[in-house]
Amino acid sequence: AETLRYAHVGAEGDLQTRYASEAAQAIQEATDGNINVQVFPASQLGGVAEMVDGVRMGSIDLGHHDFASLARVVPEAAVFNAPYIYRNAEHALHATAPDSPAVQKINQQLIEKGGVRIIGRIYRGKRHISSNFAVKSPDDLSREPFRAVPLDLWVSMVKGFGATPTPVAVSELPTALMTGLVVGQENPLTMINANQLYEVQSHVSLTGHMDSVLAIFMNERKWQSLEESDRQAIETVLDDKAEQSLQWAQTSESELIQTLQDKGMTILGEEDGLDVAAFRDQVRAQIDKDFPDFKPYIEMIAEVE
Amino acid sequence: MGIALIIGFLALFVLGFPVVYSILIPSIGYVLIEGFPNGLLAQRITYALDSFPLVAVPIFIFVGNIMNLAGVTERIFRFADTLVGRVPGGLAQVNIFSSLIFSGMSGAALADVGGLGKIEIEAMRKRGFSAPFAGAITASSAVVGPIFPPSIPLIVYGSVTSVSIVQLLIAGIVPALICIALLMITAAILALRHNMPRAPRRPTLGEITASLMPALPALLAPVLMIAGMMSGLFTPTEAAAVTAGYVLLISGLVYRELTWAHLWSAMMVTLRSTSAILIIVAAASLFGWILAVEQIPQAFAGWILQVSKDPLMLLLIANLIFFVVGMFLDSTTATLLVVPVIAPPMVLAGVDPVHLGIVAIFNLMIGLLTPPMGLSLYLIASIARISLRQLLWALLPFYIPLLTTLAIITFASDLVLWLPGMLR
Amino acid sequence: MHLIRRLLEGICALLLAGIVLVPLLQVVLREVFVSPMVGAEEFTRFLLVCLVFMAYPLVVDNGENIVMTELRESLPTALRKPLKLLIVVCAILTSGFIAYATFMTVQTNLGNTTPTLKIPFWLFLGSTLLGFSGACLLHLVHGVHPPASEVGPNQ
Ligand code: NA
Ligand code: NA
């Protein structure tokens, strides 16, 4: 039997952590014990950049993270994280399937340039804005310091919000929000709840600016060394679990809204005057300006059913 | 295999191999035997230092060196002497109080003792204190500084465990003040019993203000840092940089004692100390990766959670482990190698990671004062030119306030988490 | 040798100056002008990595590696001398091997860059390579001619 080392940075309680452990179990069953997957959650084998490079080099066999993390190999891979490019969650799931044309095109380059292959994806929910005052339109965030993940795409998106992108590490986020180093941040609700950001933030604006879909990627040499039947079994398992992750995310989102309200947060939706269209227009304009190379891929994604 | 690695490391370390090679040799052996790509070595070592919190390490070391060279330390020392010199134990109290700020700034407890400690012991001897007592005061007070900002050990702890460094630095303030108070009381009792020297009379208000003025800019440095972090004006790393800028400004423009030669020599000492400490951080991260692949932390977690699931019981076990480890390893090395194994099950069982951090660092610092490998002991004995035996005798009463503080911070988690709680 | 040392010291001093000044500048830009530099943190981290590895040969040259010598020094001379030789040989081999592994990695890792500033990753690895090859060389030199500070009175 072959043992695969599967690393990711997700914390205990996050959907991605559940996905990885359930997928590992299912792969072992589907391959009759041929493939044994050992999961290393919570950055045990290193942070994001290190994990991606580890998979390229072969010290880690597979891992998962935002598609944008693969931009260090092929810059256009970040397009799958681009804000406001999917019609809805189902569309996001279909457009990121390993056999969708856009993913196939990126995959080819990933294999050639980096020796890694995307073999699956995880739907982790929509990302929303949280803040310590009511945010209803980009004007409310104008020139306010706002936490940005230190990747080009996020910096560009936060500029699109009208805010000033300010980098803050996840571990310092609660303190930075409390002291006002940044006035807000954006993440899936599952993260806002798990990291207890409700203690330092008063509002959530349901901007749903990003469908958070994570790519599962594997070392190409390792992938090719597996039996054809095992590879197929793995792909089937990952695809089934991806469909399930969408359901988990959608069920948990409505539950989480309730939970966060119970914790005292004010949730703002379109019916409360949140101008999602204004966010969409400004963010898309900024992204189109900063990432002209994304255009053909965005068109390919739009064509997916 | 994992156990063999740990034994390999300990054997090389005890035999007197530099710490960095004691870690690297078993790690390289593992990579070669298990057939991992060699690139893992380069990648892991390099990535480990790609960390913003660690940037504070060279900056604080630099601040400490500039303060010593440009006479900032001396002015604070003189001010403290005027202020509390009349208290029983006089200069001993000054010695204790100045450690609060200055120790913990160099990342290696030994460097703290070697720098400020030397000045303190000399000053105390001149004033008529016995050498063993001066050594004991210096050694025991150096334990406290690392849990009071600025503190490189807490920064390293935070960067290893992904715990908020701001929270850690703020959490240490109250416990450090308690420990300082206990140490000062102990020193006062000893001073009264043995009739130790103190200033001949109370200072006049004029004398206090006269010595306060030159010390004020220097005293503002830690205030600036704590206030800056608590108000959200800057991150710990930025706070370090602001402090550095501020200290350069006052020692260059206000005191006018900073010369280019001072600056250059402070920079050279700083970059070598930084490299010596952080190269171990780099090597330890490779070692930690291998232990993770070998599932050592998981095995340990499984074992310890079987023993007990009660947070308080787990904290006591952790204390015991840290205490033993601290006897053998330098605090930074111990933090890097032991904490990643011990912390996860504790946190899982409900121990607050910030609380655990303060307990761990304080405990590891006490370890530097305990034989057989109490690293501070050897250094202080040699600075004070006394035997280890003399130093240990003089140190004996000071274990009481230190262990009392450890007990207080272990059991009274509210006390530790009260200040940082206001920030979350 | 002296010239190389001075050069290395100069480079490291510049890196250290950058490590202090960039966060300071960032505070001013953010708090005074409300326009922080994007990528300032990334750049400072890059400087730190370079500083640690570039300064490592200086650490070795000054015999400032952190080490616990208590047990070793209490051994009888007959045991201590071969042990010290073993340590030097191991230090040479270890730093040499890390340098070699880094060199091989640099060659396969050319396309990688940091996310915001696009600093090529071989620059990071380059400092690791330089640091450990310098250390290897100095361990070798010190093995042949021990520096004065390490030659104690009882040797
Ligand atoms: Na002291
Ligand atoms: Na301190």
Side-chain angles (χ1 to χ4, degrees), chain A residues 5 12 38-41 43-47 49-55 57-60 72 167 169 171-172 174-176 178-182 196 199-200, chain B residues 36-40 43-44 47-48 53 158 162-167 229-236 238 285 288-289 292-295 298 348 422-424:
Chain A
R5 282 181 298 271
E12 193 69 42
Q38 204 170 25
V39 186
F40 296 92
S43 310
Q44 279 172 14
L45 299 188
E50 199 174 347
M51 180 176 80
V52 174
D53 282 358
V55 173
M57 188 164 59
S59 55
I60 300 169
R72 56 196 285 114
S171 58
E172 299 294 353
T175 313
M178 177 66 210
T179 57
L181 184 73
V182 288
Q196 301 175 348
E199 288 184 3
V200 288
Chain B
F36 277 96
N38 282 344
L40 175 64
Q43 187 213 40
R44 190 67 199 181
Y47 272 112
S162 302
V163 171
S164 162
I165 289 163
V166 175
Q167 297 268 330
M229 284 191 314
M230 289 193 74
S231 66
L233 216 54
F234 23 80
T235 64
E238 288 166 357
S285 125
W289 194 94
V293 165
E294 286 289 313
Q295 306 261 321
Q298 291 86 331
L348 207 63
M422 306 208 301
L423 283 183
R424 49 178 169 184

Side-chain angles (χ1 to χ4, degrees), chain B residues 95 99 120 138 141:
Chain B
N95 182 335
S99 286
E120 291 171 339
T138 306
S141 64

Side-chain angles (χ1 to χ4, degrees), chain A residues 48-49 51-52 64-73 78 81 151 217:
Chain A
V48 175
M51 180 176 80
V52 174
H64 75 237
H65 200 69
D66 280 313
F67 277 82
S69 63
L70 295 170
R72 56 196 285 114
V73 188
N81 277 117
L151 289 172
F217 44 89

Side-chain angles (χ1 to χ4, degrees), chain B residues 5 9 45 56 86 94 221 244 290 341 354 370 376 421:
Chain B
L5 280 168
F9 157 73
I45 288 174
R86 176 67 187 151
V94 175
I290 294 172
V341 178
V354 172
T370 44
S376 290

